[in-house]
Amino acid sequence: QVQLVESGGGLVQPGDSLRLSCAASGASFSFYVMGWYRQIPGMQRELVAIFTGGGRTNYADFVKGRFTISRDNAKNTVDLQMNSLKPEDTAVYYCYCNFLGRISWGQGIQVTVSS
């Protein structure tokens, strides 16, 4: 099982930026499908952004143009740069990994956008 550790969450004001980072264990990181999901209280976990393979990315409509996912295969990390944050972006954000069909989740990190 791949171990995932998120960092970088916190409390910010509307319009601010925040960068989340996820560090993954293992020696085959370049083959991992990596992404970010989020969960708002009372709602289902939803996709935010993901690498779909071959360097391609997929974003939820509600973050297009505001969030950017990136990865560093040398450091085993995947980041989520979040700009122009809105109160509705408040959620617990989870790092996601799919390696050969085995799915792993990080512990989740709180992002709160509030004035």
Side-chain angles (χ1 to χ4, degrees):
Q1 195 81 4
V2 175
Q3 303 299 313
L4 304 171
V5 179
E6 300 113 335
S7 61
L11 171 64
V12 296
Q13 295 187 339
D16 284 354
S17 297
L18 202 60
R19 189 176 184 91
L20 303 182
S21 186
C22 173
S25 65
S28 303
F29 181 80
S30 60
F31 297 101
Y32 298 173
V33 172
M34 299 295 300
W36 288 93
Y37 282 70
R38 72 184 189 186
Q39 189 164 19
I40 297 168
M43 298 180 66
Q44 288 190 329
R45 196 170 295 186
E46 59 186 356
L47 173 70
V48 176
I50 193 167
F51 281 96
T52 57
R56 292 183 296 273
T57 55
N58 188 34
Y59 292 89
D61 286 343
F62 53 77
V63 302
K64 283 182 179 177
R66 300 189 298 125
F67 291 11
T68 303
I69 190 171
S70 61
R71 67 188 294 164
D72 187 331
N73 289 339
K75 296 182 179 179
N76 277 29
T77 57
V78 60
D79 291 354
L80 185 68
Q81 177 66 41
M82 304 185 293
N83 299 329
S84 302
L85 282 161
K86 304 175 181 180
E88 51 263 43
D89 293 318
T90 295
V92 177
Y93 285 72
Y94 294 90
C95 185
Y96 164 94
C97 172
N98 184 338
F99 180 48
L100 300 179
R102 297 188 68 177
I103 294 173
S104 302
W105 294 96
Q107 79 282 4
I109 192 163
Q110 179 70 43
V111 172
T112 302
V113 185
S114 176
S115 55

